[in-house]
PDB file of all heavy atoms in Angstrom:
ATOM      1  N   GLN P 339     -16.858  38.770   5.372  1.00 93.00           N
ATOM      2  CA  GLN P 339     -17.879  38.978   6.408  1.00 93.00           C
ATOM      3  C   GLN P 339     -19.137  38.153   6.123  1.00 93.00           C
ATOM      4  O   GLN P 339     -19.784  37.648   7.051  1.00 93.00           O
ATOM      5  CB  GLN P 339     -18.253  40.459   6.488  1.00 93.00           C
ATOM      6  CG  GLN P 339     -17.098  41.389   6.845  1.00 93.00           C
ATOM      7  CD  GLN P 339     -17.501  42.848   6.792  1.00 93.00           C
ATOM      8  OE1 GLN P 339     -18.642  43.200   7.082  1.00 93.00           O
ATOM      9  NE2 GLN P 339     -16.567  43.703   6.420  1.00 93.00           N
ATOM     10  N   LEU P 340     -19.473  38.000   4.853  1.00 91.00           N
ATOM     11  CA  LEU P 340     -20.716  37.314   4.494  1.00 91.00           C
ATOM     12  C   LEU P 340     -20.637  35.807   4.684  1.00 91.00           C
ATOM     13  O   LEU P 340     -21.609  35.174   5.125  1.00 91.00           O
ATOM     14  CB  LEU P 340     -21.068  37.627   3.032  1.00 91.00           C
ATOM     15  CG  LEU P 340     -21.625  39.011   2.732  1.00 91.00           C
ATOM     16  CD1 LEU P 340     -21.698  39.250   1.233  1.00 91.00           C
ATOM     17  CD2 LEU P 340     -23.013  39.156   3.361  1.00 91.00           C
ATOM     18  N   ILE P 341     -19.490  35.214   4.359  1.00 91.00           N
ATOM     19  CA  ILE P 341     -19.399  33.752   4.353  1.00 91.00           C
ATOM     20  C   ILE P 341     -19.600  33.144   5.739  1.00 91.00           C
ATOM     21  O   ILE P 341     -20.351  32.165   5.885  1.00 91.00           O
ATOM     22  CB  ILE P 341     -18.074  33.311   3.713  1.00 91.00           C
ATOM     23  CG1 ILE P 341     -18.126  33.583   2.207  1.00 91.00           C
ATOM     24  CG2 ILE P 341     -17.802  31.825   3.959  1.00 91.00           C
ATOM     25  CD1 ILE P 341     -16.831  33.312   1.474  1.00 91.00           C
ATOM     26  N   PRO P 342     -18.971  33.658   6.808  1.00 92.00           N
ATOM     27  CA  PRO P 342     -19.268  33.081   8.137  1.00 92.00           C
ATOM     28  C   PRO P 342     -20.744  33.171   8.506  1.00 92.00           C
ATOM     29  O   PRO P 342     -21.294  32.243   9.136  1.00 92.00           O
ATOM     30  CB  PRO P 342     -18.396  33.921   9.077  1.00 92.00           C
ATOM     31  CG  PRO P 342     -17.285  34.415   8.217  1.00 92.00           C
ATOM     32  CD  PRO P 342     -17.912  34.676   6.897  1.00 92.00           C
ATOM     33  N   ILE P 343     -21.406  34.257   8.124  1.00 92.00           N
ATOM     34  CA  ILE P 343     -22.840  34.391   8.387  1.00 92.00           C
ATOM     35  C   ILE P 343     -23.622  33.322   7.631  1.00 92.00           C
ATOM     36  O   ILE P 343     -24.525  32.666   8.183  1.00 92.00           O
ATOM     37  CB  ILE P 343     -23.329  35.798   7.999  1.00 92.00           C
ATOM     38  CG1 ILE P 343     -22.628  36.852   8.859  1.00 92.00           C
ATOM     39  CG2 ILE P 343     -24.847  35.905   8.128  1.00 92.00           C
ATOM     40  CD1 ILE P 343     -22.915  38.281   8.430  1.00 92.00           C
ATOM     41  N   ALA P 344     -23.261  33.120   6.351  1.00 90.00           N
ATOM     42  CA  ALA P 344     -23.947  32.113   5.538  1.00 90.00           C
ATOM     43  C   ALA P 344     -23.697  30.712   6.069  1.00 90.00           C
ATOM     44  O   ALA P 344     -24.597  29.853   6.042  1.00 90.00           O
ATOM     45  CB  ALA P 344     -23.493  32.216   4.082  1.00 90.00           C
ATOM     46  N   GLN P 345     -22.497  30.448   6.570  1.00 89.00           N
ATOM     47  CA  GLN P 345     -22.198  29.127   7.134  1.00 89.00           C
ATOM     48  C   GLN P 345     -23.056  28.867   8.373  1.00 89.00           C
ATOM     49  O   GLN P 345     -23.597  27.769   8.555  1.00 89.00           O
ATOM     50  CB  GLN P 345     -20.717  29.046   7.489  1.00 89.00           C
ATOM     51  CG  GLN P 345     -19.801  28.940   6.272  1.00 89.00           C
ATOM     52  CD  GLN P 345     -18.331  28.997   6.647  1.00 89.00           C
ATOM     53  OE1 GLN P 345     -17.974  29.594   7.659  1.00 89.00           O
ATOM     54  NE2 GLN P 345     -17.493  28.379   5.834  1.00 89.00           N
ATOM     55  N   LYS P 346     -23.171  29.869   9.223  1.00 91.00           N
ATOM     56  CA  LYS P 346     -24.003  29.704  10.413  1.00 91.00           C
ATOM     57  C   LYS P 346     -25.472  29.512  10.037  1.00 91.00           C
ATOM     58  O   LYS P 346     -26.207  28.755  10.691  1.00 91.00           O
ATOM     59  CB  LYS P 346     -23.852  30.912  11.328  1.00 91.00           C
ATOM     60  CG  LYS P 346     -22.478  31.016  11.973  1.00 91.00           C
ATOM     61  CD  LYS P 346     -22.367  32.259  12.834  1.00 91.00           C
ATOM     62  CE  LYS P 346     -20.982  32.362  13.469  1.00 91.00           C
ATOM     63  NZ  LYS P 346     -20.842  33.597  14.295  1.00 91.00           N
ATOM     64  N   ALA P 347     -25.886  30.199   8.965  1.00 88.00           N
ATOM     65  CA  ALA P 347     -27.269  30.043   8.505  1.00 88.00           C
ATOM     66  C   ALA P 347     -27.530  28.621   8.037  1.00 88.00           C
ATOM     67  O   ALA P 347     -28.607  28.048   8.298  1.00 88.00           O
ATOM     68  CB  ALA P 347     -27.554  31.039   7.383  1.00 88.00           C
ATOM     69  N   VAL P 348     -26.565  28.029   7.347  1.00 83.00           N
ATOM     70  CA  VAL P 348     -26.718  26.642   6.896  1.00 83.00           C
ATOM     71  C   VAL P 348     -26.794  25.700   8.090  1.00 83.00           C
ATOM     72  O   VAL P 348     -27.655  24.794   8.153  1.00 83.00           O
ATOM     73  CB  VAL P 348     -25.552  26.249   5.960  1.00 83.00           C
ATOM     74  CG1 VAL P 348     -25.570  24.750   5.689  1.00 83.00           C
ATOM     75  CG2 VAL P 348     -25.639  27.012   4.653  1.00 83.00           C
ATOM     76  N   GLN P 349     -25.886  25.884   9.028  1.00 86.00           N
ATOM     77  CA  GLN P 349     -25.894  25.023  10.217  1.00 86.00           C
ATOM     78  C   GLN P 349     -27.201  25.139  10.982  1.00 86.00           C
ATOM     79  O   GLN P 349     -27.783  24.134  11.435  1.00 86.00           O
ATOM     80  CB  GLN P 349     -24.713  25.381  11.110  1.00 86.00           C
ATOM     81  CG  GLN P 349     -23.356  25.108  10.480  1.00 86.00           C
ATOM     82  CD  GLN P 349     -22.216  25.718  11.272  1.00 86.00           C
ATOM     83  OE1 GLN P 349     -22.418  26.371  12.299  1.00 86.00           O
ATOM     84  NE2 GLN P 349     -20.988  25.529  10.784  1.00 86.00           N
ATOM     85  N   SER P 350     -27.680  26.375  11.119  1.00 87.00           N
ATOM     86  CA  SER P 350     -28.934  26.581  11.834  1.00 87.00           C
ATOM     87  C   SER P 350     -30.110  25.954  11.085  1.00 87.00           C
ATOM     88  O   SER P 350     -30.993  25.324  11.688  1.00 87.00           O
ATOM     89  CB  SER P 350     -29.176  28.074  12.040  1.00 87.00           C
ATOM     90  OG  SER P 350     -30.425  28.316  12.655  1.00 87.00           O
ATOM     91  N   SER P 368     -30.409  28.213   1.945  1.00 85.00           N
ATOM     92  CA  SER P 368     -29.225  28.584   2.736  1.00 85.00           C
ATOM     93  C   SER P 368     -27.959  27.958   2.146  1.00 85.00           C
ATOM     94  O   SER P 368     -26.909  28.602   2.068  1.00 85.00           O
ATOM     95  CB  SER P 368     -29.409  28.142   4.190  1.00 85.00           C
ATOM     96  OG  SER P 368     -30.498  28.785   4.782  1.00 85.00           O
ATOM     97  N   ALA P 369     -28.067  26.687   1.720  1.00 83.00           N
ATOM     98  CA  ALA P 369     -26.908  26.019   1.127  1.00 83.00           C
ATOM     99  C   ALA P 369     -26.512  26.684  -0.192  1.00 83.00           C
ATOM    100  O   ALA P 369     -25.324  26.889  -0.474  1.00 83.00           O
ATOM    101  CB  ALA P 369     -27.218  24.544   0.913  1.00 83.00           C
ATOM    102  N   GLU P 371     -27.107  29.777  -1.047  1.00 87.00           N
ATOM    103  CA  GLU P 371     -26.568  31.105  -0.772  1.00 87.00           C
ATOM    104  C   GLU P 371     -25.112  31.025  -0.312  1.00 87.00           C
ATOM    105  O   GLU P 371     -24.284  31.853  -0.685  1.00 87.00           O
ATOM    106  CB  GLU P 371     -27.418  31.797   0.288  1.00 87.00           C
ATOM    107  CG  GLU P 371     -27.001  33.240   0.544  1.00 87.00           C
ATOM    108  CD  GLU P 371     -27.919  33.944   1.521  1.00 87.00           C
ATOM    109  OE1 GLU P 371     -28.930  33.354   1.931  1.00 87.00           O
ATOM    110  OE2 GLU P 371     -27.613  35.109   1.859  1.00 87.00           O
ATOM    111  N   LEU P 372     -24.799  30.006   0.483  1.00 87.00           N
ATOM    112  CA  LEU P 372     -23.411  29.808   0.902  1.00 87.00           C
ATOM    113  C   LEU P 372     -22.518  29.552  -0.300  1.00 87.00           C
ATOM    114  O   LEU P 372     -21.435  30.131  -0.400  1.00 87.00           O
ATOM    115  CB  LEU P 372     -23.319  28.642   1.878  1.00 87.00           C
ATOM    116  CG  LEU P 372     -21.894  28.238   2.291  1.00 87.00           C
ATOM    117  CD1 LEU P 372     -21.172  29.400   2.970  1.00 87.00           C
ATOM    118  CD2 LEU P 372     -21.933  27.007   3.195  1.00 87.00           C
ATOM    119  N   ARG P 373     -22.995  28.701  -1.209  1.00 87.00           N
ATOM    120  CA  ARG P 373     -22.191  28.437  -2.426  1.00 87.00           C
ATOM    121  C   ARG P 373     -21.998  29.716  -3.229  1.00 87.00           C
ATOM    122  O   ARG P 373     -20.913  29.975  -3.750  1.00 87.00           O
ATOM    123  CB  ARG P 373     -22.851  27.379  -3.295  1.00 87.00           C
ATOM    124  CG  ARG P 373     -22.043  27.077  -4.578  1.00 87.00           C
ATOM    125  CD  ARG P 373     -22.781  26.160  -5.521  1.00 87.00           C
ATOM    126  NE  ARG P 373     -21.940  25.838  -6.671  1.00 87.00           N
ATOM    127  CZ  ARG P 373     -21.845  26.592  -7.765  1.00 87.00           C
ATOM    128  NH1 ARG P 373     -22.523  27.739  -7.845  1.00 87.00           N
ATOM    129  NH2 ARG P 373     -21.059  26.223  -8.772  1.00 87.00           N
ATOM    130  N   HIS P 375     -21.878  32.820  -2.169  1.00 90.00           N
ATOM    131  CA  HIS P 375     -20.880  33.684  -1.542  1.00 90.00           C
ATOM    132  C   HIS P 375     -19.470  33.107  -1.689  1.00 90.00           C
ATOM    133  O   HIS P 375     -18.505  33.850  -1.888  1.00 90.00           O
ATOM    134  CB  HIS P 375     -21.222  33.880  -0.062  1.00 90.00           C
ATOM    135  CG  HIS P 375     -22.457  34.689   0.165  1.00 90.00           C
ATOM    136  ND1 HIS P 375     -22.761  35.815  -0.562  1.00 90.00           N
ATOM    137  CD2 HIS P 375     -23.482  34.539   1.062  1.00 90.00           C
ATOM    138  CE1 HIS P 375     -23.896  36.331  -0.146  1.00 90.00           C
ATOM    139  NE2 HIS P 375     -24.359  35.570   0.847  1.00 90.00           N
ATOM    140  N   GLU P 376     -19.350  31.787  -1.549  1.00 90.00           N
ATOM    141  CA  GLU P 376     -18.039  31.154  -1.744  1.00 90.00           C
ATOM    142  C   GLU P 376     -17.542  31.367  -3.162  1.00 90.00           C
ATOM    143  O   GLU P 376     -16.365  31.669  -3.394  1.00 90.00           O
ATOM    144  CB  GLU P 376     -18.129  29.659  -1.432  1.00 90.00           C
ATOM    145  CG  GLU P 376     -18.348  29.312   0.020  1.00 90.00           C
ATOM    146  CD  GLU P 376     -17.039  29.298   0.810  1.00 90.00           C
ATOM    147  OE1 GLU P 376     -16.015  29.729   0.266  1.00 90.00           O
ATOM    148  OE2 GLU P 376     -17.066  28.853   1.969  1.00 90.00           O
TER     149      GLU P 376
END
Side-chain angles (χ1 to χ4, degrees):
Q339 299 175 33
L340 285 170
I341 289 175
I343 297 173
Q345 287 174 332
K346 291 178 180 179
V348 170
Q349 295 169 359
S350 176
S368 298
E371 185 176 355
L372 174 60
R373 180 187 184 274
H375 291 319
E376 291 277 10

